[in-house]
Amino acid sequence: MRYVLTTLAFAASTPAMAQDVSLPEFVEWGSSAAAIEEALDGKCAGGLTVREIDPPFLPGAEYQVQADCDGFDYFGDERFAEFVIGDDRLQMIWIMVEPEDEDDAVAAMREAYGQPSQEAEMFVAFENARTAWRAEPPEFLFYSPEVAEQMSAWFASAG
């Protein structure tokens, strides 16, 4: 009985485990739009929409589409996620959250990825993991090795 009480006291005094901020397990950078649509099947509680982004904003992309997934399960809730595909290769993922999630999100990212490589008012970047937090709008960013150099340049110029 004493063991149970000690365990309960320890559990009550221990902060909640950080929520998962890792890249969704099904993601393979460079996947085609069709492969992303298939991978998102059943993962968008509010629906999936694929739309063209014209003009493309991805560096060097001639053609860009975005798979908008409403109701994507991430960071403890259903979120709106954007899977950005340039020239039929997955390049970025933006996962929107609520402004009040910022402190917990950045703390979880620091726990998962260590010290940020760049930090500014508008973002906290973890370039070693190709991920960042953006403050406005509040969202997680994941990006492919293919655009890592451009993202590093952006972080350096914006910070």
Side-chain angles (χ1 to χ4, degrees), residues 58 61-65 84-91 146:
L58 284 170
E62 292 182 25
Y63 180 76
Q64 182 176 325
V65 297
V84 182
I85 302 151
D87 297 333
D88 208 29
R89 293 184 315 278
L90 178 63
Q91 299 297 319
E146 192 171 334

Side-chain angles (χ1 to χ4, degrees), residues 67-139:
D68 294 334
C69 178
D70 191 8
F72 184 70
D73 186 20
Y74 193 79
F75 201 63
D77 208 345
E78 290 185 352
R79 312 292 184 170
F80 187 83
E82 301 169 339
F83 293 77
V84 182
I85 302 151
D87 297 333
D88 208 29
R89 293 184 315 278
L90 178 63
Q91 299 297 319
M92 292 180 154
I93 302 168
W94 297 94
I95 304 174
M96 288 31 150
V97 296
E98 298 302 320
E100 56 270 14
D101 291 325
E102 181 172 2
D103 290 344
D104 290 341
V106 173
M109 293 178 88
R110 287 177 190 275
E111 185 175 320
Y113 304 119
Q115 283 295 100
S117 54
Q118 299 275 345
E119 202 165 349
E121 186 175 326
M122 63 189 298
F123 66 82
V124 180
F126 300 86
E127 294 171 88
N128 61 323
R130 292 189 318 275
T131 188
W133 167 263
R134 184 162 78 170
E136 189 56 44
E139 58 193 348

Side-chain angles (χ1 to χ4, degrees), residues 7-80:
T7 302
L8 288 174
F10 176 75
S13 67
T14 304
M17 298 241 343
Q19 294 184 7
D20 187 14
V21 293
S22 59
L23 181 69
E25 63 184 32
F26 66 87
V27 171
E28 289 187 39
W29 295 118
S31 294
S32 69
I36 293 303
E37 284 186 68
E38 184 177 321
L40 288 172
D41 186 40
K43 293 178 176 67
C44 306
L48 175 67
T49 304
V50 179
R51 59 190 173 101
E52 183 177 352
I53 305 297
D54 189 23
F57 66 77
L58 284 170
E62 292 182 25
Y63 180 76
Q64 182 176 325
V65 297
Q66 183 167 298
D68 294 334
C69 178
D70 191 8
F72 184 70
D73 186 20
Y74 193 79
F75 201 63
D77 208 345
E78 290 185 352
R79 312 292 184 170
F80 187 83

